[in-house]
C-alpha cells in the first residue's frame, strides 16, 4: 500500500466557494481516479489556523509506482484546475506517507 496526503488550505474569503467546489467537483475527480483504491476527504480541525481552513484528501494506492504516476500526471491536472478557479486563495500541499505497519 502506498499513501498520499493532499492538504488544501483555503483562505477565509473563499471558504463557501471552496466547499461547494470540493463537494461538486473535487469529489467527482477523486471518484474517477482509476488507480486510487480508497480515499478519505476530511475537514481538518486545528487550533493554530485562524486565517483560513484546511481540508485533506488521503489517497491510497496499491503501490509506489501508481502513486508516482498520480503525482506526475493527475496531481498536476488537479492543481491546474484549482489554481484556475481560486488562484492563490487555495494552496495544495502534498505529503508522501510510507506506511511501516497498518491495520487497514
Amino acid at each position: 500500500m502506498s499513501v498520499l496526503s493532499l492538504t488544501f488550505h483555503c483562505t477565509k474569503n473563499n471558504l463557501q466557494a471552496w466547499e461547494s467546489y470540493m463537494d461538486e467537483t473535487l469529489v467527482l475527480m477523486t471518484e474517477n481516479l482509476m488507480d486510487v483504491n480508497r480515499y478519505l476527504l476530511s475537514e481538518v480541525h486545528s487550533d493554530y489556523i485562524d486565517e483560513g481552513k484546511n481540508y485533506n484528501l488521503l489517497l491510497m494506492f496499491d503501490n509506489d509506482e501508481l502513486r508516482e504516476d498520480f503525482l506526475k500526471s493527475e496531481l498536476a491536472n488537479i492543481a491546474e484546475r484549482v489554481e484556475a478557479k481560486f488562484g492563490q486563495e487555495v494552496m495544495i500541499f502534498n505529503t508522501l506517507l510510507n506506511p511501516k505497519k497498518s491495520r487497514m
Side-chain angles (χ1 to χ4, degrees):
M1 176 174 56
S2 190
V3 183
L4 175 65
S5 172
L6 299 177
T7 300
F8 299 88
H9 175 77
C10 183
T11 60
K12 279 184 181 179
N13 299 339
N14 288 295
L15 285 175
Q16 186 174 5
W18 170 252
E19 288 186 2
S20 293
Y21 181 84
M22 191 174 53
D23 292 341
E24 296 167 9
T25 305
L26 185 63
V27 169
L28 286 175
M29 282 192 282
T30 305
E31 288 285 336
N32 289 324
L33 293 171
M34 294 179 63
D35 294 329
V36 175
N37 287 342
R38 290 169 281 182
Y39 73 90
L40 175 66
L41 180 61
S42 304
E43 183 176 322
V44 178
H45 172 77
S46 176
D47 292 334
Y48 302 104
I49 298 175
D50 292 332
E51 70 280 350
K53 196 178 236 184
N54 286 346
Y55 300 85
N56 186 269
L57 181 59
L58 190 68
L59 303 171
M60 294 171 216
F61 302 88
D62 281 337
N63 56 53
D64 290 345
E65 288 129 16
L66 293 174
R67 180 176 68 178
E68 282 300 317
D69 291 345
F70 173 86
L71 286 168
K72 291 176 184 171
S73 61
E74 295 298 330
L75 181 56
N77 291 335
I78 291 170
E80 284 177 17
R81 290 178 183 182
V82 169
E83 186 175 340
K85 180 137 181 93
F86 294 98
Q88 298 297 314
E89 300 300 314
V90 174
M91 294 172 277
I92 303 172
F93 304 95
N94 62 325
T95 305
L96 284 69
L97 304 175
N98 300 309
K100 296 292 185 189
K101 294 187 180 195
S102 176
R103 292 189 79 182
M104 299 182 97

